[in-house]
Amino acid sequence: MSSEDSPPPTISISPLLAALAGPSSQHVPASEIASALALIFDNRLSPVQCSSLLTLLHVTKRDHDPLVIAKCASAMRSAAAQVDRATLREAVRRRGRKEGSYRGGLCDIVGTGGDGHSTFNVSTTASILASSFLLLSKHGNRASSSTSGSADLLQSIAPRGPVIEAVTATTLPAVYERTNYAFLFAPKFHPGMRHVAPIRKDLGFRTIFNLLGPLANPVEGMIEARVVGVAHRALGPVFAEALRLSGAKKALVVCGAEDLDEVSCAGTTYCWRLVERANPAFRGSDNEQDDEYTTSDEEAAPRRIVEIEAFELRPADFGLPAHALAEVLPGKMPKENAETLMRLLRKELPMDDPVVHFVLMNTAALFVVAGLCDAEESMMGNGDDGRVVEERGPGQGRWKEGVRRAKWAIESGEALNALEGFVEVTNSLGTR
């Protein structure tokens, strides 16, 4: 083996492991944990120390510490394939359509997985519907704990599906020249994860990496809004705070009462929403356009702050009936789920089908969080009666307006057009 093929020398993190195994494990700085985790992506940790780190984070529950999650996600993004931000920003500026308080930025809807329900691929389907209005950067992978992951679903679309491997850090801006929809296949953007894959498989329990996925979108700094589903209620406030610490300003963390990492079609969904507001403690100019305001006081109050609001949603808040999870279970194999997806997009499923309602709720949630539903006028196009549903529900969201727009995305064919645009551009990129 040549020196170029040999793995890099490993770095020992024995002192950190000893600290995590000791009585002061809760006081180990999050930055030190993130620095150790970052070594994994360069294959600089031995398998023994890598597995020890993941295990200790699990047993000490430091992997549920918002600051640890935020800093480790930042380290993971730093190790990812880097997108040319200037080129992407220009593509987004040309493609994005501002409406309501949505500024035309990138959006994502994703879950942590691990809820054990194996429902239909609702977040992936919702992301396609949402791309009728929003720019979607759907970050996903193949299945790990379910029968059909987001990548599995897309690759099973017949007769011709998208070439998801064609979307790379280099080609992503070109995708947005043709469509509002992009799927960021995790292995293409996080190649360093291959070093820990066999260790995660052998450990047999969910590690911090199962929590980092929703926060590791390679275009994180350009994500305007997102919905994140968590599989356990206790993770809701943890994820919301991790998002706030990461700089997110528009986000909704959801957990169905059944420990479902989606907005539930069956009953209660627990919600934690990040909302940006004017800071009452700010002492500068009241004019937000005044860019000349400066201060040498590093502890001065910022102009705006992000707060976390907790509330509950139910199907009735969306103007829809409840459906037992059994009506959308079990999630089938990728080929069957892909057939259901295409039937939905082609208007071959009745609009009162439980799966359709499930998708409408989750799509509506992203529309509300992005700010699309704040628009006082509706000019969607053919088939739009222009009647905005102004009613506000829990968290002051116009959830029923979100459903109205999600229905239009199906009935107008715009959601199908967005997907077909993604299929076309990725197939053309894949043949270059």
Side-chain angles (χ1 to χ4, degrees), residues 72-413:
C72 287
S74 177
M76 188 171 172
R77 294 192 303 270
S78 295
Q82 298 300 303
V83 179
D84 185 322
R85 296 300 173 108
T87 304
L88 179 59
R89 190 173 289 109
E90 179 59 23
V92 169
R93 185 192 67 78
R94 289 195 300 266
R95 186 84 193 179
R97 187 181 73 186
K98 298 179 181 180
E99 188 171 2
S101 58
Y102 171 56
R103 299 191 294 272
L106 301 175
C107 301
D108 193 9
I109 177 168
V110 63
T112 60
D115 61 16
H117 290 296
S118 294
T119 55
F120 173 73
N121 297 90
V122 64
S123 64
T124 307
T125 306
S127 71
I128 295 169
L129 264 64
S131 67
S132 300
F133 298 95
L134 313 176
L135 294 187
L136 262 291
S137 285
K138 170 65 176 166
H139 185 223
N141 207 340
R142 294 192 176 93
S144 59
S145 58
S146 64
T147 55
S148 177
S150 51
D152 304 309
L153 175 77
L154 293 174
Q155 290 183 313
S156 298
I157 292 174
R160 184 176 70 151
V163 182
I164 60 175
E165 295 90 346
V167 182
T168 66
T170 303
T171 64
L172 182 59
V175 173
Y176 288 120
E177 296 293 339
R178 301 269 294 275
T179 180
N180 284 3
Y181 191 80
F183 181 80
L184 281 58
F185 186 37
K188 295 295 293 186
F189 287 86
H190 297 285
M193 285 295 292
R194 70 184 185 277
H195 302 305
V196 72
I199 294 172
R200 293 174 64 192
K201 183 177 180 179
D202 286 345
L203 284 176
F205 57 80
R206 292 174 66 80
T207 70
I208 190 171
F209 285 112
N210 294 96
L211 304 180
L212 296 183
L215 300 177
N217 194 312
V219 294
E220 173 64 28
M222 297 180 64
I223 296 289
E224 178 179 345
R226 80 197 79 202
V227 172
V228 178
V230 295
H232 303 289
R233 185 179 180 181
L235 278 175
V238 170
F239 251 85
E241 179 63 11
L243 283 165
R244 192 185 67 82
L245 291 171
S246 298
K249 297 176 181 178
K250 288 181 179 179
L252 180 70
V253 180
V254 299
C255 180
E258 310 83 4
D259 283 343
L260 182 72
D261 66 339
E262 320 276 5
V263 173
S264 176
C265 63
T268 302
T269 298
Y270 304 110
C271 303
W272 299 264
R273 185 177 180 181
L274 273 64
V275 180
E276 187 181 26
R277 292 196 175 93
N279 186 358
F282 179 68
R283 293 295 176 261
S285 168
D286 290 334
N287 183 4
E288 293 197 14
Q289 305 303 316
D290 181 6
D291 293 329
E292 297 183 0
Y293 171 77
T294 60
T295 176
S296 59
D297 183 1
E298 295 182 355
E299 296 183 359
R303 185 189 298 275
R304 300 184 70 78
I305 55 175
V306 176
E307 297 179 332
I308 299 171
E309 295 182 347
F311 54 90
E312 297 177 5
L313 283 172
R314 292 172 179 80
D317 296 315
F318 295 90
L320 296 171
H323 298 282
L325 286 187
E327 297 183 62
V328 293
L329 287 173
K332 304 183 188 302
M333 299 305 292
K335 181 180 178 181
E336 296 170 288
N337 282 353
E339 290 172 354
T340 300
L341 164 65
M342 297 311 296
R343 288 183 63 210
L344 184 152
L345 295 178
R346 291 171 180 150
K347 298 174 282 185
E348 295 170 0
L349 285 183
M351 289 301 289
D352 61 354
D353 186 285
V355 168
V356 175
H357 284 173
F358 196 13
V359 172
L360 291 175
M361 291 178 202
N362 282 272
T363 308
L366 183 55
F367 284 163
V368 169
V369 174
L372 185 69
C373 298
D374 293 332
E376 298 302 332
E377 297 180 345
S378 177
M379 296 176 287
M380 293 187 288
N382 291 335
D384 177 17
D385 61 11
R387 298 176 183 174
V388 173
V389 181
E390 298 181 354
E391 176 187 340
R392 293 188 180 273
Q396 291 301 300
R398 287 179 171 175
W399 312 103
K400 293 178 181 177
E401 170 64 6
V403 168
R404 187 182 76 89
R405 288 176 174 266
K407 285 181 177 179
W408 183 87
I410 298 173
E411 293 170 341
S412 67

Side-chain angles (χ1 to χ4, degrees), residues 18-80:
L20 286 171
S24 300
S25 61
Q26 301 305 310
H27 301 293
V28 175
S31 58
E32 292 185 15
I33 294 172
S35 295
L37 197 83
L39 296 173
I40 293 173
F41 308 124
D42 293 325
N43 200 22
R44 303 300 298 272
L45 277 189
S46 71
V48 170
Q49 291 209 330
C50 179
S51 60
S52 297
L53 175 61
L54 298 180
T55 300
L56 284 168
L57 291 177
H58 180 74
V59 299
T60 61
K61 297 193 182 301
R62 290 304 304 276
D63 57 0
H64 283 42
D65 180 324
L67 186 57
V68 170
I69 293 173
K71 287 192 174 293
C72 287
S74 177
M76 188 171 172
R77 294 192 303 270
S78 295

